[in-house]
PDB file of all heavy atoms in Angstrom:
ATOM      1  N   ALA A   1       4.452  -1.696  -8.270  1.00 76.00           N
ATOM      2  CA  ALA A   1       4.309  -2.759  -9.398  1.00 76.00           C
ATOM      3  C   ALA A   1       2.856  -2.941  -9.693  1.00 76.00           C
ATOM      4  O   ALA A   1       2.393  -3.228 -10.824  1.00 76.00           O
ATOM      5  CB  ALA A   1       5.019  -4.104  -8.933  1.00 76.00           C
ATOM      6  N   PHE A   2       2.069  -3.086  -8.555  1.00 75.00           N
ATOM      7  CA  PHE A   2       0.654  -3.421  -8.742  1.00 75.00           C
ATOM      8  C   PHE A   2      -0.125  -2.313  -9.503  1.00 75.00           C
ATOM      9  O   PHE A   2      -0.978  -2.506 -10.383  1.00 75.00           O
ATOM     10  CB  PHE A   2      -0.104  -3.704  -7.525  1.00 75.00           C
ATOM     11  CG  PHE A   2       0.407  -4.893  -6.752  1.00 75.00           C
ATOM     12  CD1 PHE A   2       1.294  -4.947  -5.858  1.00 75.00           C
ATOM     13  CD2 PHE A   2      -0.105  -6.103  -7.228  1.00 75.00           C
ATOM     14  CE1 PHE A   2       1.866  -6.109  -5.276  1.00 75.00           C
ATOM     15  CE2 PHE A   2       0.304  -7.271  -6.647  1.00 75.00           C
ATOM     16  CZ  PHE A   2       1.255  -7.295  -5.674  1.00 75.00           C
ATOM     17  N   LEU A   3       0.213  -1.100  -9.120  1.00 78.00           N
ATOM     18  CA  LEU A   3      -0.399   0.073  -9.905  1.00 78.00           C
ATOM     19  C   LEU A   3       0.085   0.055 -11.403  1.00 78.00           C
ATOM     20  O   LEU A   3      -0.769   0.245 -12.283  1.00 78.00           O
ATOM     21  CB  LEU A   3       0.027   1.312  -9.296  1.00 78.00           C
ATOM     22  CG  LEU A   3      -0.501   2.622  -9.799  1.00 78.00           C
ATOM     23  CD1 LEU A   3      -2.026   2.664  -9.811  1.00 78.00           C
ATOM     24  CD2 LEU A   3       0.058   3.869  -9.027  1.00 78.00           C
ATOM     25  N   GLU A   4       1.289  -0.273 -11.632  1.00 83.00           N
ATOM     26  CA  GLU A   4       1.839  -0.275 -12.999  1.00 83.00           C
ATOM     27  C   GLU A   4       1.135  -1.482 -13.870  1.00 83.00           C
ATOM     28  O   GLU A   4       0.765  -1.262 -14.960  1.00 83.00           O
ATOM     29  CB  GLU A   4       3.283  -0.480 -13.048  1.00 83.00           C
ATOM     30  CG  GLU A   4       4.093   0.778 -12.618  1.00 83.00           C
ATOM     31  CD  GLU A   4       3.898   1.924 -13.566  1.00 83.00           C
ATOM     32  OE1 GLU A   4       3.970   1.656 -14.819  1.00 83.00           O
ATOM     33  OE2 GLU A   4       3.556   3.026 -13.078  1.00 83.00           O
ATOM     34  N   ALA A   5       0.928  -2.586 -13.041  1.00 86.00           N
ATOM     35  CA  ALA A   5       0.310  -3.729 -13.817  1.00 86.00           C
ATOM     36  C   ALA A   5      -1.014  -3.391 -14.098  1.00 86.00           C
ATOM     37  O   ALA A   5      -1.509  -3.712 -15.275  1.00 86.00           O
ATOM     38  CB  ALA A   5       0.442  -4.912 -12.896  1.00 86.00           C
ATOM     39  N   ALA A   6      -1.794  -2.716 -13.221  1.00 85.00           N
ATOM     40  CA  ALA A   6      -3.156  -2.408 -13.471  1.00 85.00           C
ATOM     41  C   ALA A   6      -3.278  -1.463 -14.661  1.00 85.00           C
ATOM     42  O   ALA A   6      -4.226  -1.599 -15.465  1.00 85.00           O
ATOM     43  CB  ALA A   6      -3.790  -1.927 -12.273  1.00 85.00           C
ATOM     44  N   ARG A   7      -2.459  -0.479 -14.621  1.00 86.00           N
ATOM     45  CA  ARG A   7      -2.386   0.588 -15.576  1.00 86.00           C
ATOM     46  C   ARG A   7      -2.156   0.130 -16.960  1.00 86.00           C
ATOM     47  O   ARG A   7      -2.724   0.611 -17.982  1.00 86.00           O
ATOM     48  CB  ARG A   7      -1.386   1.719 -15.141  1.00 86.00           C
ATOM     49  CG  ARG A   7      -1.495   2.885 -16.075  1.00 86.00           C
ATOM     50  CD  ARG A   7      -0.459   3.964 -15.666  1.00 86.00           C
ATOM     51  NE  ARG A   7      -0.675   4.405 -14.166  1.00 86.00           N
ATOM     52  CZ  ARG A   7       0.210   4.448 -13.411  1.00 86.00           C
ATOM     53  NH1 ARG A   7       1.595   4.151 -13.508  1.00 86.00           N
ATOM     54  NH2 ARG A   7      -0.032   4.973 -12.145  1.00 86.00           N
ATOM     55  N   HIS A   8      -1.272  -0.860 -17.125  1.00 87.00           N
ATOM     56  CA  HIS A   8      -0.667  -1.304 -18.495  1.00 87.00           C
ATOM     57  C   HIS A   8      -1.294  -2.778 -18.821  1.00 87.00           C
ATOM     58  O   HIS A   8      -0.642  -3.271 -19.680  1.00 87.00           O
ATOM     59  CB  HIS A   8       0.717  -1.262 -18.497  1.00 87.00           C
ATOM     60  CG  HIS A   8       1.206   0.142 -18.132  1.00 87.00           C
ATOM     61  ND1 HIS A   8       1.104   1.191 -19.029  1.00 87.00           N
ATOM     62  CD2 HIS A   8       2.094   0.589 -17.238  1.00 87.00           C
ATOM     63  CE1 HIS A   8       1.590   2.277 -18.598  1.00 87.00           C
ATOM     64  NE2 HIS A   8       2.307   1.927 -17.479  1.00 87.00           N
ATOM     65  N   PHE A   9      -2.346  -3.219 -18.140  1.00 90.00           N
ATOM     66  CA  PHE A   9      -2.627  -4.517 -18.274  1.00 90.00           C
ATOM     67  C   PHE A   9      -3.111  -4.853 -19.696  1.00 90.00           C
ATOM     68  O   PHE A   9      -2.885  -6.025 -20.229  1.00 90.00           O
ATOM     69  CB  PHE A   9      -3.807  -4.857 -17.364  1.00 90.00           C
ATOM     70  CG  PHE A   9      -4.119  -6.474 -17.477  1.00 90.00           C
ATOM     71  CD1 PHE A   9      -3.436  -7.441 -16.953  1.00 90.00           C
ATOM     72  CD2 PHE A   9      -5.303  -6.782 -18.078  1.00 90.00           C
ATOM     73  CE1 PHE A   9      -3.658  -8.732 -17.004  1.00 90.00           C
ATOM     74  CE2 PHE A   9      -5.708  -8.121 -18.205  1.00 90.00           C
ATOM     75  CZ  PHE A   9      -4.892  -9.196 -17.606  1.00 90.00           C
ATOM     76  N   ALA A  10      -3.605  -3.806 -20.433  1.00 88.00           N
ATOM     77  CA  ALA A  10      -3.884  -4.073 -21.811  1.00 88.00           C
ATOM     78  C   ALA A  10      -2.760  -4.402 -22.691  1.00 88.00           C
ATOM     79  O   ALA A  10      -3.026  -5.067 -23.810  1.00 88.00           O
ATOM     80  CB  ALA A  10      -4.598  -2.669 -22.377  1.00 88.00           C
ATOM     81  N   ARG A  11      -1.552  -4.163 -22.252  1.00 88.00           N
ATOM     82  CA  ARG A  11      -0.391  -4.484 -23.027  1.00 88.00           C
ATOM     83  C   ARG A  11      -0.028  -6.114 -22.814  1.00 88.00           C
ATOM     84  O   ARG A  11       0.796  -6.583 -23.616  1.00 88.00           O
ATOM     85  CB  ARG A  11       0.810  -3.635 -22.568  1.00 88.00           C
ATOM     86  CG  ARG A  11       0.586  -2.181 -22.852  1.00 88.00           C
ATOM     87  CD  ARG A  11       1.760  -1.475 -22.455  1.00 88.00           C
ATOM     88  NE  ARG A  11       1.553   0.118 -22.409  1.00 88.00           N
ATOM     89  CZ  ARG A  11       2.474   0.989 -22.005  1.00 88.00           C
ATOM     90  NH1 ARG A  11       3.680   0.484 -21.493  1.00 88.00           N
ATOM     91  NH2 ARG A  11       2.242   2.285 -22.110  1.00 88.00           N
ATOM     92  N   PHE A  12      -0.581  -6.675 -21.785  1.00 90.00           N
ATOM     93  CA  PHE A  12      -0.303  -8.099 -21.675  1.00 90.00           C
ATOM     94  C   PHE A  12      -0.852  -8.957 -22.731  1.00 90.00           C
ATOM     95  O   PHE A  12      -2.036  -8.863 -23.096  1.00 90.00           O
ATOM     96  CB  PHE A  12      -0.849  -8.447 -20.332  1.00 90.00           C
ATOM     97  CG  PHE A  12      -0.685  -9.936 -20.077  1.00 90.00           C
ATOM     98  CD1 PHE A  12       0.591 -10.536 -19.952  1.00 90.00           C
ATOM     99  CD2 PHE A  12      -1.779 -10.845 -19.797  1.00 90.00           C
ATOM    100  CE1 PHE A  12       0.805 -11.855 -19.742  1.00 90.00           C
ATOM    101  CE2 PHE A  12      -1.630 -12.114 -19.508  1.00 90.00           C
ATOM    102  CZ  PHE A  12      -0.264 -12.646 -19.548  1.00 90.00           C
ATOM    103  N   ARG A  13      -0.034  -9.805 -23.293  1.00 86.00           N
ATOM    104  CA  ARG A  13      -0.390 -10.463 -24.502  1.00 86.00           C
ATOM    105  C   ARG A  13      -0.503 -11.979 -24.251  1.00 86.00           C
ATOM    106  O   ARG A  13      -0.770 -12.901 -25.142  1.00 86.00           O
ATOM    107  CB  ARG A  13       0.551 -10.230 -25.642  1.00 86.00           C
ATOM    108  CG  ARG A  13       0.565  -8.916 -26.281  1.00 86.00           C
ATOM    109  CD  ARG A  13      -0.954  -8.666 -26.887  1.00 86.00           C
ATOM    110  NE  ARG A  13      -1.022  -7.315 -27.435  1.00 86.00           N
ATOM    111  CZ  ARG A  13      -1.524  -6.262 -26.733  1.00 86.00           C
ATOM    112  NH1 ARG A  13      -2.081  -6.609 -25.627  1.00 86.00           N
ATOM    113  NH2 ARG A  13      -1.716  -5.055 -27.273  1.00 86.00           N
ATOM    114  N   GLY A  14      -0.146 -12.343 -23.113  1.00 84.00           N
ATOM    115  CA  GLY A  14      -0.036 -13.851 -22.613  1.00 84.00           C
ATOM    116  C   GLY A  14      -1.520 -14.365 -22.348  1.00 84.00           C
ATOM    117  O   GLY A  14      -2.432 -13.634 -22.324  1.00 84.00           O
ATOM    118  N   SER A  15      -1.557 -15.650 -22.051  1.00 81.00           N
ATOM    119  CA  SER A  15      -2.844 -16.239 -21.677  1.00 81.00           C
ATOM    120  C   SER A  15      -2.660 -17.208 -20.661  1.00 81.00           C
ATOM    121  O   SER A  15      -3.751 -17.982 -20.309  1.00 81.00           O
ATOM    122  CB  SER A  15      -3.524 -16.912 -22.964  1.00 81.00           C
ATOM    123  OG  SER A  15      -2.582 -17.932 -23.519  1.00 81.00           O
ATOM    124  N   THR A  16      -1.524 -17.410 -20.079  1.00 83.00           N
ATOM    125  CA  THR A  16      -1.323 -18.534 -19.156  1.00 83.00           C
ATOM    126  C   THR A  16      -0.723 -17.836 -17.816  1.00 83.00           C
ATOM    127  O   THR A  16      -0.247 -16.811 -17.802  1.00 83.00           O
ATOM    128  CB  THR A  16      -0.370 -19.492 -19.573  1.00 83.00           C
ATOM    129  OG1 THR A  16       0.960 -19.026 -19.743  1.00 83.00           O
ATOM    130  CG2 THR A  16      -0.781 -20.153 -20.878  1.00 83.00           C
ATOM    131  N   GLU A  17      -0.847 -18.600 -16.758  1.00 81.00           N
ATOM    132  CA  GLU A  17      -0.292 -18.208 -15.436  1.00 81.00           C
ATOM    133  C   GLU A  17       1.229 -17.936 -15.564  1.00 81.00           C
ATOM    134  O   GLU A  17       1.714 -16.865 -15.079  1.00 81.00           O
ATOM    135  CB  GLU A  17      -0.567 -19.091 -14.300  1.00 81.00           C
ATOM    136  CG  GLU A  17      -0.137 -18.730 -12.971  1.00 81.00           C
ATOM    137  CD  GLU A  17      -0.566 -19.570 -11.859  1.00 81.00           C
ATOM    138  OE1 GLU A  17      -1.184 -20.585 -12.067  1.00 81.00           O
ATOM    139  OE2 GLU A  17      -0.286 -19.201 -10.646  1.00 81.00           O
ATOM    140  N   PRO A  18       2.057 -18.795 -16.114  1.00 81.00           N
ATOM    141  CA  PRO A  18       3.478 -18.485 -16.219  1.00 81.00           C
ATOM    142  C   PRO A  18       3.766 -17.236 -16.928  1.00 81.00           C
ATOM    143  O   PRO A  18       4.675 -16.532 -16.513  1.00 81.00           O
ATOM    144  CB  PRO A  18       3.976 -19.724 -16.876  1.00 81.00           C
ATOM    145  CG  PRO A  18       3.197 -20.847 -16.549  1.00 81.00           C
ATOM    146  CD  PRO A  18       1.793 -20.222 -16.583  1.00 81.00           C
ATOM    147  N   GLU A  19       2.935 -16.921 -18.041  1.00 86.00           N
ATOM    148  CA  GLU A  19       3.252 -15.719 -18.912  1.00 86.00           C
ATOM    149  C   GLU A  19       2.835 -14.588 -18.067  1.00 86.00           C
ATOM    150  O   GLU A  19       3.650 -13.524 -18.178  1.00 86.00           O
ATOM    151  CB  GLU A  19       2.399 -15.864 -20.092  1.00 86.00           C
ATOM    152  CG  GLU A  19       2.821 -16.913 -21.132  1.00 86.00           C
ATOM    153  CD  GLU A  19       1.999 -17.068 -22.274  1.00 86.00           C
ATOM    154  OE1 GLU A  19       0.696 -16.956 -22.078  1.00 86.00           O
ATOM    155  OE2 GLU A  19       2.425 -17.385 -23.375  1.00 86.00           O
ATOM    156  N   LEU A  20       1.791 -14.618 -17.312  1.00 88.00           N
ATOM    157  CA  LEU A  20       1.425 -13.428 -16.424  1.00 88.00           C
ATOM    158  C   LEU A  20       2.443 -13.223 -15.458  1.00 88.00           C
ATOM    159  O   LEU A  20       2.814 -12.019 -15.212  1.00 88.00           O
ATOM    160  CB  LEU A  20       0.061 -13.678 -15.776  1.00 88.00           C
ATOM    161  CG  LEU A  20      -0.476 -12.591 -14.930  1.00 88.00           C
ATOM    162  CD1 LEU A  20      -0.518 -11.222 -15.736  1.00 88.00           C
ATOM    163  CD2 LEU A  20      -1.811 -12.920 -14.315  1.00 88.00           C
ATOM    164  N   ALA A  21       2.960 -14.388 -14.660  1.00 85.00           N
ATOM    165  CA  ALA A  21       3.941 -14.143 -13.692  1.00 85.00           C
ATOM    166  C   ALA A  21       5.293 -13.483 -14.166  1.00 85.00           C
ATOM    167  O   ALA A  21       5.805 -12.595 -13.636  1.00 85.00           O
ATOM    168  CB  ALA A  21       4.151 -15.474 -13.007  1.00 85.00           C
ATOM    169  N   ALA A  22       5.531 -13.996 -15.495  1.00 85.00           N
ATOM    170  CA  ALA A  22       6.845 -13.386 -16.082  1.00 85.00           C
ATOM    171  C   ALA A  22       6.679 -12.069 -16.397  1.00 85.00           C
ATOM    172  O   ALA A  22       7.538 -11.121 -16.175  1.00 85.00           O
ATOM    173  CB  ALA A  22       7.230 -14.294 -17.297  1.00 85.00           C
ATOM    174  N   TRP A  23       5.524 -11.590 -16.914  1.00 89.00           N
ATOM    175  CA  TRP A  23       5.130 -10.231 -17.240  1.00 89.00           C
ATOM    176  C   TRP A  23       5.246  -9.282 -15.946  1.00 89.00           C
ATOM    177  O   TRP A  23       5.671  -8.237 -15.927  1.00 89.00           O
ATOM    178  CB  TRP A  23       3.740 -10.134 -18.009  1.00 89.00           C
ATOM    179  CG  TRP A  23       3.333  -8.729 -18.359  1.00 89.00           C
ATOM    180  CD1 TRP A  23       3.914  -8.053 -19.456  1.00 89.00           C
ATOM    181  CD2 TRP A  23       2.340  -8.057 -17.741  1.00 89.00           C
ATOM    182  NE1 TRP A  23       3.191  -6.840 -19.472  1.00 89.00           N
ATOM    183  CE2 TRP A  23       2.358  -6.663 -18.490  1.00 89.00           C
ATOM    184  CE3 TRP A  23       1.469  -8.208 -16.659  1.00 89.00           C
ATOM    185  CZ2 TRP A  23       1.413  -5.705 -18.295  1.00 89.00           C
ATOM    186  CZ3 TRP A  23       0.523  -7.000 -16.385  1.00 89.00           C
ATOM    187  CH2 TRP A  23       0.525  -5.972 -17.151  1.00 89.00           C
ATOM    188  N   LEU A  24       4.633  -9.938 -14.888  1.00 88.00           N
ATOM    189  CA  LEU A  24       4.681  -9.077 -13.602  1.00 88.00           C
ATOM    190  C   LEU A  24       6.099  -8.875 -13.089  1.00 88.00           C
ATOM    191  O   LEU A  24       6.402  -7.824 -12.502  1.00 88.00           O
ATOM    192  CB  LEU A  24       3.862  -9.707 -12.617  1.00 88.00           C
ATOM    193  CG  LEU A  24       2.270  -9.756 -12.837  1.00 88.00           C
ATOM    194  CD1 LEU A  24       1.437 -10.623 -11.895  1.00 88.00           C
ATOM    195  CD2 LEU A  24       1.663  -8.231 -12.865  1.00 88.00           C
ATOM    196  N   ARG A  25       6.914  -9.917 -13.237  1.00 86.00           N
ATOM    197  CA  ARG A  25       8.396  -9.733 -12.834  1.00 86.00           C
ATOM    198  C   ARG A  25       9.018  -8.667 -13.676  1.00 86.00           C
ATOM    199  O   ARG A  25       9.869  -8.065 -13.149  1.00 86.00           O
ATOM    200  CB  ARG A  25       9.053 -11.204 -12.918  1.00 86.00           C
ATOM    201  CG  ARG A  25       8.574 -12.059 -11.920  1.00 86.00           C
ATOM    202  CD  ARG A  25       9.554 -13.269 -11.886  1.00 86.00           C
ATOM    203  NE  ARG A  25       9.664 -14.077 -13.121  1.00 86.00           N
ATOM    204  CZ  ARG A  25       8.912 -15.103 -13.339  1.00 86.00           C
ATOM    205  NH1 ARG A  25       7.969 -15.479 -12.654  1.00 86.00           N
ATOM    206  NH2 ARG A  25       9.081 -15.740 -14.587  1.00 86.00           N
ATOM    207  N   GLN A  26       8.625  -8.549 -14.940  1.00 86.00           N
ATOM    208  CA  GLN A  26       9.299  -7.525 -15.784  1.00 86.00           C
ATOM    209  C   GLN A  26       8.873  -6.185 -15.238  1.00 86.00           C
ATOM    210  O   GLN A  26       9.701  -5.199 -15.203  1.00 86.00           O
ATOM    211  CB  GLN A  26       8.777  -7.720 -17.243  1.00 86.00           C
ATOM    212  CG  GLN A  26       9.478  -8.972 -17.934  1.00 86.00           C
ATOM    213  CD  GLN A  26       8.972  -9.083 -19.276  1.00 86.00           C
ATOM    214  OE1 GLN A  26       7.993  -8.337 -19.742  1.00 86.00           O
ATOM    215  NE2 GLN A  26       9.594  -9.855 -20.139  1.00 86.00           N
ATOM    216  N   ILE A  27       7.639  -6.000 -14.792  1.00 86.00           N
ATOM    217  CA  ILE A  27       7.170  -4.728 -14.269  1.00 86.00           C
ATOM    218  C   ILE A  27       7.857  -4.406 -13.007  1.00 86.00           C
ATOM    219  O   ILE A  27       8.370  -3.324 -12.717  1.00 86.00           O
ATOM    220  CB  ILE A  27       5.552  -4.776 -14.082  1.00 86.00           C
ATOM    221  CG1 ILE A  27       4.898  -4.778 -15.481  1.00 86.00           C
ATOM    222  CG2 ILE A  27       5.188  -3.628 -13.244  1.00 86.00           C
ATOM    223  CD1 ILE A  27       3.422  -4.842 -15.305  1.00 86.00           C
ATOM    224  N   LEU A  28       7.970  -5.546 -12.147  1.00 85.00           N
ATOM    225  CA  LEU A  28       8.740  -5.342 -10.864  1.00 85.00           C
ATOM    226  C   LEU A  28      10.190  -4.884 -11.159  1.00 85.00           C
ATOM    227  O   LEU A  28      10.717  -4.086 -10.392  1.00 85.00           O
ATOM    228  CB  LEU A  28       8.694  -6.647 -10.091  1.00 85.00           C
ATOM    229  CG  LEU A  28       9.472  -6.750  -8.781  1.00 85.00           C
ATOM    230  CD1 LEU A  28       8.830  -5.590  -7.782  1.00 85.00           C
ATOM    231  CD2 LEU A  28       9.369  -8.044  -8.120  1.00 85.00           C
ATOM    232  N   GLY A  29      10.809  -5.512 -12.136  1.00 83.00           N
ATOM    233  CA  GLY A  29      12.096  -5.171 -12.470  1.00 83.00           C
ATOM    234  C   GLY A  29      12.244  -3.661 -12.910  1.00 83.00           C
ATOM    235  O   GLY A  29      13.150  -2.979 -12.422  1.00 83.00           O
ATOM    236  N   GLY A  30      11.297  -3.075 -13.592  1.00 82.00           N
ATOM    237  CA  GLY A  30      11.294  -1.754 -13.908  1.00 82.00           C
ATOM    238  C   GLY A  30      11.045  -0.849 -12.667  1.00 82.00           C
ATOM    239  O   GLY A  30      11.716   0.272 -12.532  1.00 82.00           O
ATOM    240  N   CYS A  31      10.199  -1.284 -11.772  1.00 80.00           N
ATOM    241  CA  CYS A  31      10.017  -0.401 -10.571  1.00 80.00           C
ATOM    242  C   CYS A  31      11.227  -0.502  -9.684  1.00 80.00           C
ATOM    243  O   CYS A  31      11.626   0.434  -9.105  1.00 80.00           O
ATOM    244  CB  CYS A  31       8.811  -1.155  -9.875  1.00 80.00           C
ATOM    245  SG  CYS A  31       7.184  -0.934 -10.617  1.00 80.00           S
ATOM    246  N   LEU A  32      12.027  -1.627  -9.716  1.00 78.00           N
ATOM    247  CA  LEU A  32      13.250  -1.724  -8.951  1.00 78.00           C
ATOM    248  C   LEU A  32      14.203  -0.817  -9.634  1.00 78.00           C
ATOM    249  O   LEU A  32      14.864  -0.067  -8.802  1.00 78.00           O
ATOM    250  CB  LEU A  32      13.808  -3.171  -9.026  1.00 78.00           C
ATOM    251  CG  LEU A  32      13.064  -4.125  -8.119  1.00 78.00           C
ATOM    252  CD1 LEU A  32      13.371  -5.580  -8.441  1.00 78.00           C
ATOM    253  CD2 LEU A  32      13.122  -3.873  -6.639  1.00 78.00           C
ATOM    254  N   THR A  33      14.333  -0.680 -10.889  1.00 78.00           N
ATOM    255  CA  THR A  33      15.354   0.235 -11.375  1.00 78.00           C
ATOM    256  C   THR A  33      14.909   1.608 -11.110  1.00 78.00           C
ATOM    257  O   THR A  33      15.936   2.450 -10.805  1.00 78.00           O
ATOM    258  CB  THR A  33      15.240   0.049 -12.979  1.00 78.00           C
ATOM    259  OG1 THR A  33      15.568  -1.227 -13.313  1.00 78.00           O
ATOM    260  CG2 THR A  33      16.169   1.012 -13.625  1.00 78.00           C
ATOM    261  N   HIS A  34      13.780   2.024 -11.093  1.00 76.00           N
ATOM    262  CA  HIS A  34      13.318   3.361 -10.747  1.00 76.00           C
ATOM    263  C   HIS A  34      13.637   3.609  -9.364  1.00 76.00           C
ATOM    264  O   HIS A  34      14.183   4.703  -8.961  1.00 76.00           O
ATOM    265  CB  HIS A  34      11.806   3.587 -10.962  1.00 76.00           C
ATOM    266  CG  HIS A  34      11.273   4.864 -10.601  1.00 76.00           C
ATOM    267  ND1 HIS A  34      11.470   6.037 -11.293  1.00 76.00           N
ATOM    268  CD2 HIS A  34      10.463   5.189  -9.499  1.00 76.00           C
ATOM    269  CE1 HIS A  34      10.921   7.067 -10.691  1.00 76.00           C
ATOM    270  NE2 HIS A  34      10.312   6.616  -9.569  1.00 76.00           N
ATOM    271  N   LEU A  35      13.313   2.614  -8.461  1.00 74.00           N
ATOM    272  CA  LEU A  35      13.631   2.923  -7.021  1.00 74.00           C
ATOM    273  C   LEU A  35      15.103   3.000  -6.693  1.00 74.00           C
ATOM    274  O   LEU A  35      15.501   3.924  -5.894  1.00 74.00           O
ATOM    275  CB  LEU A  35      13.056   1.602  -6.211  1.00 74.00           C
ATOM    276  CG  LEU A  35      12.997   1.702  -4.749  1.00 74.00           C
ATOM    277  CD1 LEU A  35      12.190   2.958  -4.173  1.00 74.00           C
ATOM    278  CD2 LEU A  35      12.531   0.510  -4.100  1.00 74.00           C
ATOM    279  N   VAL A  36      15.885   2.123  -7.364  1.00 72.00           N
ATOM    280  CA  VAL A  36      17.319   2.344  -7.213  1.00 72.00           C
ATOM    281  C   VAL A  36      17.826   3.660  -7.649  1.00 72.00           C
ATOM    282  O   VAL A  36      18.561   4.390  -6.936  1.00 72.00           O
ATOM    283  CB  VAL A  36      18.058   1.167  -7.855  1.00 72.00           C
ATOM    284  CG1 VAL A  36      19.594   1.449  -7.826  1.00 72.00           C
ATOM    285  CG2 VAL A  36      17.743  -0.151  -7.092  1.00 72.00           C
ATOM    286  N   ARG A  37      17.378   4.171  -8.776  1.00 75.00           N
ATOM    287  CA  ARG A  37      17.860   5.366  -9.272  1.00 75.00           C
ATOM    288  C   ARG A  37      17.369   6.551  -8.429  1.00 75.00           C
ATOM    289  O   ARG A  37      18.043   7.494  -8.208  1.00 75.00           O
ATOM    290  CB  ARG A  37      17.448   5.550 -10.740  1.00 75.00           C
ATOM    291  CG  ARG A  37      18.077   4.689 -11.751  1.00 75.00           C
ATOM    292  CD  ARG A  37      17.808   5.000 -13.173  1.00 75.00           C
ATOM    293  NE  ARG A  37      18.382   4.159 -14.104  1.00 75.00           N
ATOM    294  CZ  ARG A  37      19.604   4.222 -14.478  1.00 75.00           C
ATOM    295  NH1 ARG A  37      20.440   5.181 -14.007  1.00 75.00           N
ATOM    296  NH2 ARG A  37      20.142   3.308 -15.274  1.00 75.00           N
ATOM    297  N   ARG A  38      16.167   6.391  -7.857  1.00 73.00           N
ATOM    298  CA  ARG A  38      15.736   7.421  -6.942  1.00 73.00           C
ATOM    299  C   ARG A  38      16.628   7.552  -5.668  1.00 73.00           C
ATOM    300  O   ARG A  38      16.891   8.738  -5.264  1.00 73.00           O
ATOM    301  CB  ARG A  38      14.268   6.987  -6.464  1.00 73.00           C
ATOM    302  CG  ARG A  38      13.684   8.077  -5.510  1.00 73.00           C
ATOM    303  CD  ARG A  38      12.449   7.591  -4.830  1.00 73.00           C
ATOM    304  NE  ARG A  38      11.532   6.924  -5.465  1.00 73.00           N
ATOM    305  CZ  ARG A  38      10.449   6.283  -4.933  1.00 73.00           C
ATOM    306  NH1 ARG A  38      10.426   6.162  -3.558  1.00 73.00           N
ATOM    307  NH2 ARG A  38       9.668   5.588  -5.714  1.00 73.00           N
ATOM    308  N   TYR A  39      17.278   6.520  -5.257  1.00 70.00           N
ATOM    309  CA  TYR A  39      17.991   6.505  -3.943  1.00 70.00           C
ATOM    310  C   TYR A  39      19.452   6.780  -4.342  1.00 70.00           C
ATOM    311  O   TYR A  39      20.175   7.498  -3.508  1.00 70.00           O
ATOM    312  CB  TYR A  39      17.928   5.323  -3.252  1.00 70.00           C
ATOM    313  CG  TYR A  39      16.667   5.163  -2.356  1.00 70.00           C
ATOM    314  CD1 TYR A  39      15.488   4.574  -2.736  1.00 70.00           C
ATOM    315  CD2 TYR A  39      16.784   5.712  -1.073  1.00 70.00           C
ATOM    316  CE1 TYR A  39      14.442   4.486  -1.927  1.00 70.00           C
ATOM    317  CE2 TYR A  39      15.652   5.725  -0.247  1.00 70.00           C
ATOM    318  CZ  TYR A  39      14.434   5.050  -0.705  1.00 70.00           C
ATOM    319  OH  TYR A  39      13.338   5.061   0.200  1.00 70.00           O
ATOM    320  N   TYR A  40      20.007   6.494  -5.579  1.00 66.00           N
ATOM    321  CA  TYR A  40      21.320   6.669  -5.836  1.00 66.00           C
ATOM    322  C   TYR A  40      21.627   7.797  -6.841  1.00 66.00           C
ATOM    323  O   TYR A  40      22.712   8.272  -6.995  1.00 66.00           O
ATOM    324  CB  TYR A  40      22.009   5.354  -6.283  1.00 66.00           C
ATOM    325  CG  TYR A  40      22.126   4.425  -5.317  1.00 66.00           C
ATOM    326  CD1 TYR A  40      21.143   3.269  -5.117  1.00 66.00           C
ATOM    327  CD2 TYR A  40      23.130   4.465  -4.351  1.00 66.00           C
ATOM    328  CE1 TYR A  40      21.361   2.385  -4.101  1.00 66.00           C
ATOM    329  CE2 TYR A  40      23.326   3.547  -3.350  1.00 66.00           C
ATOM    330  CZ  TYR A  40      22.350   2.416  -3.262  1.00 66.00           C
ATOM    331  OH  TYR A  40      22.447   1.588  -2.237  1.00 66.00           O
TER     332      TYR A  40
END
């Protein structure tokens, strides 16, 4: 998630802490999907 966030930070359009936290959770969700698919 951290690597993805750093790589795609230019795509972040928010300006507040809640917006950044929500964006990071979306990235984490994508990483979770990838991880689950890798195992199953």
Side-chain angles (χ1 to χ4, degrees):
F2 290 97
L3 180 60
E4 288 296 312
R7 183 181 300 135
H8 300 298
F9 186 73
R11 300 178 185 176
F12 175 61
R13 294 292 179 261
S15 59
T16 67
E17 181 171 4
E19 289 172 331
L20 179 58
W23 184 72
L24 290 172
R25 287 194 301 272
Q26 289 179 348
I27 291 178
L28 178 61
C31 291
L32 285 167
T33 299
H34 176 74
L35 188 63
V36 169
R37 290 189 181 281
R38 183 198 309 171
Y39 278 93
Y40 290 101

